[in-house]
Amino acid sequence: MATHEVFNQTPPFVDENLVASDRPLLDALEANGVDAEAAGLLAWGAEWGAAERLDLGRLANENPPRLRTHDPLGVRADVVEFHLAWHALMSASMAAGLHAPCGTPAEHVARAARLYVAAQVETGHVCPLTMTHAAGAALAAEPERLAEWLPRLSARAYDPRFLPFREKGAVTIGMGMTEKQGGTDVRANTTRAAPDGEGYRLTGHKWFLSAPMCDAFLVLAQAPGGLTCFLLPRFRPDGSVNSLHLQRLKDKLGNRSNASAEVEFENAFAWRIGEEGRGIRTIIGMVQLTRLDCAVASAGLVRMALTLAVHHARHRAVFQKKLVDQPAMRLVLADLALEAEAMTALAIRLARSVGDRAEATRARLLTPATKFHVCKAAAGLIYEAMECLGGNGYVEE
């Protein structure tokens, strides 16, 4: 129809190299000793900026995970089903090693850059990658357990099958710390752990169990010696399904593609990690690495918000000028760009510190502060970028 002729609208943002077009990221990589091309990051930017990859991000969020508590015969299933787009994103990210432990500072920096770009396309699937990457820091308290799991934590062939971990080539690890009555105050946890043979039996609950289809979870529970860290697998050592009863999935404001569950443990089997009574000290290394990824991913979200705002402003005409040429809009975009560049530089520099033993103290102090600042500021900056798109900025598409 003639009335449906569309003009003065912004074309889709697709088939853009998310690394080559990001000068602050390229500068941050160079400043921290990583050559973007040699590290394969330019190819990574083209891959994740492709229309097909961006569409996978859309599909994963439009088709959130579903909890299936029972099978057709009424037997407990306790599985979460994901859209094919989620599995495709997980496969691509694991093939690049975003879930695998890092060694040198350069490896940490290159991984952070990849995560920063992947988060721009779809952030929810980053959650299990982050926790799996960080799990080794806690498992190091039990070298024999770490040696058993590390080859599968490092493998790059995504395997979503619901099987005992020993039957899989690659695994993921989640985390469950908070409970209804305590939240961040994990010392208020009431889940009990009773010694039993080669492990412990856990009875209690978790208010947030992140990525419930992981192959195991690092959790905190009250053992006879106090709050202790445990590795709780989805299957018991004898191959039977462990008694993790998923109650419901959270209906979250964000992070929609990723599942977060409420769970009840009924004499669930788990291995102790670290000494009894030292659970927080054991798991804090994992927490620090997840904090790093929170900052990196949030910086990526801000970068994409800025990118879309600038893209819109360059194409949309208002009052006989392109938006980007309107003085007020230029000021807004300049402020956003300055904040985004600072976040990128800070997150990438922090990744280098985390990977450098000589900067261990710096990383220990800077990581929680960076996570707090970048994540806290990201929402406000993205809100500002949404306003740059006018009414379209408030439409879910």
Side-chain angles (χ1 to χ4, degrees):
M1 296 174 63
T3 56
H4 288 184
E5 181 182 353
V6 177
F7 62 96
N8 194 29
Q9 282 287 344
T10 307
F13 179 81
V14 295
D15 296 326
E16 298 283 347
N17 190 313
L18 300 181
V19 172
S21 61
D22 191 340
R23 173 49 55 188
L25 175 61
L26 293 172
D27 289 346
L29 289 169
E30 183 180 1
N32 289 285
V34 172
D35 182 283
E37 185 169 6
L41 290 169
L42 292 179
W44 181 258
E47 178 184 341
W48 283 82
E52 180 184 4
R53 188 60 53 85
L54 290 162
D55 209 41
L56 288 176
R58 175 185 65 82
L59 288 168
N61 282 274
E62 289 182 356
N63 298 274
R66 297 178 60 185
L67 172 62
R68 186 158 61 88
T69 57
H70 295 76
D71 71 12
L73 301 180
V75 178
R76 287 209 70 109
D78 291 304
V79 296
V80 180
E81 296 173 337
F82 291 86
H83 190 268
L84 290 175
W86 166 274
H87 294 299
L89 292 165
M90 285 290 294
S91 181
S93 290
M94 288 186 68
L98 294 192
H99 66 298
C102 293
T104 67
E107 289 176 355
H108 276 274
V109 169
R111 177 190 172 274
R114 286 187 168 86
L115 190 83
Y116 165 93
V117 170
Q120 295 179 42
V121 177
E122 205 296 296
T123 314
H125 84 290
V126 168
C127 181
L129 301 172
T130 286
M131 293 185 296
T132 303
H133 166 72
L139 294 177
E142 292 291 336
E144 291 185 9
R145 197 68 58 202
L146 177 62
E148 183 179 30
W149 282 77
L150 188 58
R152 296 174 178 86
L153 293 174
S154 304
R156 299 197 175 194
Y158 173 55
D159 187 350
R161 294 177 300 165
F162 189 52
L163 294 171
F165 83 96
R166 292 188 177 92
E167 299 178 24
K168 300 178 65 171
V171 298
T172 55
I173 291 184
M175 181 165 54
M177 296 177 64
T178 62
E179 298 183 2
K180 298 172 188 175
Q181 73 285 343
T184 304
D185 181 11
V186 294
R187 293 191 183 277
N189 284 6
T190 60
T191 297
R192 297 290 167 182
D196 185 9
E198 67 170 290
Y200 288 68
R201 301 290 173 177
L202 272 59
T203 299
H205 80 279
K206 294 297 171 185
W207 189 232
F208 278 94
L209 186 76
S210 297
M213 284 310 290
C214 286
D215 297 284
F217 304 90
L218 283 158
V219 303
L220 296 177
Q222 300 287 357
L227 192 65
T228 304
C229 182
F230 294 92
L231 180 66
L232 194 154
R234 288 302 307 265
F235 290 81
R236 296 185 178 94
D238 64 7
S240 62
V241 179
N242 209 356
S243 51
L244 287 76
H245 301 320
L246 303 179
Q247 303 300 299
R248 62 172 178 168
L249 299 185
K250 300 290 192 180
D251 185 10
K252 295 169 293 183
L253 183 63
N255 193 29
R256 296 176 64 87
S257 69
N258 177 46
S260 302
E262 295 171 24
V263 63
E264 300 286 338
F265 302 145
E266 184 181 6
N267 287 317
F269 173 85
W271 294 287
R272 177 174 52 80
I273 303 297
E275 300 176 26
E276 283 193 7
R278 297 174 69 85
I280 294 176
R281 185 179 182 88
T282 300
I283 208 168
I284 197 65
M286 179 183 186
V287 172
Q288 282 286 80
L289 287 174
T290 63
R291 286 170 173 166
L292 167 64
D293 279 12
C294 286
V296 170
S298 292
L301 284 170
V302 171
R303 171 66 191 185
M304 180 54 85
L306 169 66
T307 298
L308 294 175
V310 172
H311 177 72
H312 178 76
R314 285 174 173 163
H315 291 89
R316 179 77 164 177
V318 178
F319 303 118
Q320 293 79 51
K321 284 185 179 181
K322 295 293 186 184
L323 263 176
V324 74
D325 295 324
Q326 298 284 4
M329 179 59 73
R330 291 179 71 86
L331 286 173
V332 170
L333 293 174
D335 283 345
L336 286 172
L338 188 62
E339 292 284 350
E341 181 166 350
M343 287 181 172
T344 301
L346 180 59
I348 297 299
R349 180 64 181 87
L350 177 60
R352 173 180 155 191
S353 292
V354 167
D356 189 347
R357 290 185 178 180
E359 295 193 358
T361 301
R362 183 180 192 275
R364 181 179 178 183
L365 294 172
L366 195 58
T367 299
T370 299
K371 188 258 187 182
F372 172 80
H373 170 71
V374 175
C375 296
K376 186 78 170 178
L381 295 171
I382 293 169
Y383 167 73
E384 194 76 47
M386 287 167 59
E387 286 193 333
C388 294
L389 273 64
N392 285 348
Y394 293 83
V395 176
E396 286 285 350
E397 291 178 315

